[in-house]
């Protein structure tokens, strides 16, 4: 059913975004999370790359992490063959504890959240100009803003909008049909 496919598509879309993020070696390194196998960065998903907006458990937690939110606020039937297309909203929250906000490499002179943000945006721009972009669809950067989750956690929020995402093709491409 179209409704069930919508929720499969939301979960699959978030998974695809998280897999894309862990494919960026500079992002994985900048997260500075020691407890993973470098040959299997996908194991960071669920540990420091999360498919939901997480609230910090204690103000003493000194981690960096990425949270992904996605949804399809609009879905419509494009043609008689039941080709549903959607407008997608994607938010990527890059969070760092204040004690982890600066990169260790002082020559970079940049915050960790700004560095990770730049790597993700540059990667998306590269992907947008390649043949391997069907899973995300055509998208626009709507905003890229710094914020704070609380008095010890700083974040940067990237908001993207995908237009005319072919939901059936996306689910088929990712194997989530």
């Amino acid at each position: 059913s179209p409704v069930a496919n919508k929720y499969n598509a939301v979960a699959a879309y978030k998974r695809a975004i998280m897999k894309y993020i862990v494919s960026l070696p500079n992002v994985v390194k900048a997260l500075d999370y020691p407890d993973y196998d470098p040959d299997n960065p996908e194991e960071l998903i669920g540990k420091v790359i999360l498919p939901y907006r997480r609230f910090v458990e204690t103000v003493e937690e000194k981690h960096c992490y990425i949270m992904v939110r996605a949804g399809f606020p609009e879905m419509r039937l494009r043609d008689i063959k039941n080709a549903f297309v959607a407008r997608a909203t994607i938010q990527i929250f890059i969070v760092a504890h204040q004690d982890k906000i600066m990169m260790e490499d002082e020559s970079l002179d940049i915050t960790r959240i700004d560095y990770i943000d730049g790597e993700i945006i540059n990667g998306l721009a590269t992907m947008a100009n390649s043949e391997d972009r069907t899973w995300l669809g055509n998208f626009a950067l709507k905003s890229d803003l710094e914020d704070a989750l609380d008095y010890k956690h700083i974040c940067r929020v990237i908001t993207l909008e995908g237009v005319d995402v072919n939901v059936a093709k996306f689910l088929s491409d990712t194997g989530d049909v």
Side-chain angles (χ1 to χ4, degrees):
S1 89
V3 172
N5 281 346
K6 175 182 177 180
Y7 295 106
N8 289 343
V10 169
Y13 212 60
K14 288 197 288 188
R15 272 194 306 278
I17 292 164
M18 291 184 299
K19 285 181 178 183
Y20 167 73
I21 290 170
V22 298
S23 77
L24 300 169
N26 290 341
V27 169
V28 170
K29 184 177 178 186
L31 283 170
D32 194 34
Y33 186 76
D35 235 5
Y36 80 101
D37 176 1
D39 294 328
N40 184 19
E42 282 191 25
E43 73 179 41
L44 292 171
I45 296 172
K47 293 180 181 176
V48 291
I49 299 175
L50 308 168
Y52 52 88
R53 179 146 182 224
R54 171 184 183 266
F55 292 95
V56 180
E57 293 170 11
T58 71
V59 293
E60 299 308 314
E61 189 175 62
K62 296 180 181 177
H63 292 295
C64 301
Y65 49 96
I66 295 174
M67 303 176 292
V68 175
R69 292 190 338 173
F72 297 110
E74 177 188 336
M75 189 177 275
R76 64 190 184 287
L77 189 60
R78 181 168 58 188
D79 59 37
I80 196 74
K81 295 178 184 175
N82 290 328
F84 279 89
V85 292
R87 180 172 54 89
T89 300
I90 305 153
Q91 287 188 308
I92 301 169
F93 294 77
I94 305 159
V95 181
H97 185 276
Q98 68 182 8
D99 291 350
K100 303 276 269 179
I101 193 67
M102 296 306 293
M103 296 289 291
E104 281 83 19
D105 183 350
E106 293 179 12
S107 69
L108 291 175
D109 194 30
I110 188 170
T111 67
R112 190 176 306 274
I113 61 174
D114 291 342
Y115 178 80
I116 293 171
D117 173 86
E119 290 292 314
I120 291 172
I121 296 294
N122 288 338
L124 288 171
T126 300
M127 185 183 62
N129 295 316
S130 75
E131 295 299 314
D132 185 31
R133 66 182 180 88
T134 56
W135 64 269
L136 190 58
N138 295 320
F139 64 91
L141 177 64
K142 299 307 270 182
S143 66
D144 185 1
L145 303 170
E146 189 170 309
D147 201 354
L149 292 183
D150 59 34
Y151 69 96
K152 289 197 176 196
H153 294 87
I154 297 93
C155 71
R156 182 160 282 288
V157 183
I158 302 167
T159 302
L160 303 165
E161 183 174 77
V163 293
D164 290 338
V165 176
N166 184 326
V167 176
K169 180 169 178 15
F170 170 74
L171 289 171
S172 171
D173 287 352
T174 59
D176 282 295
V177 178

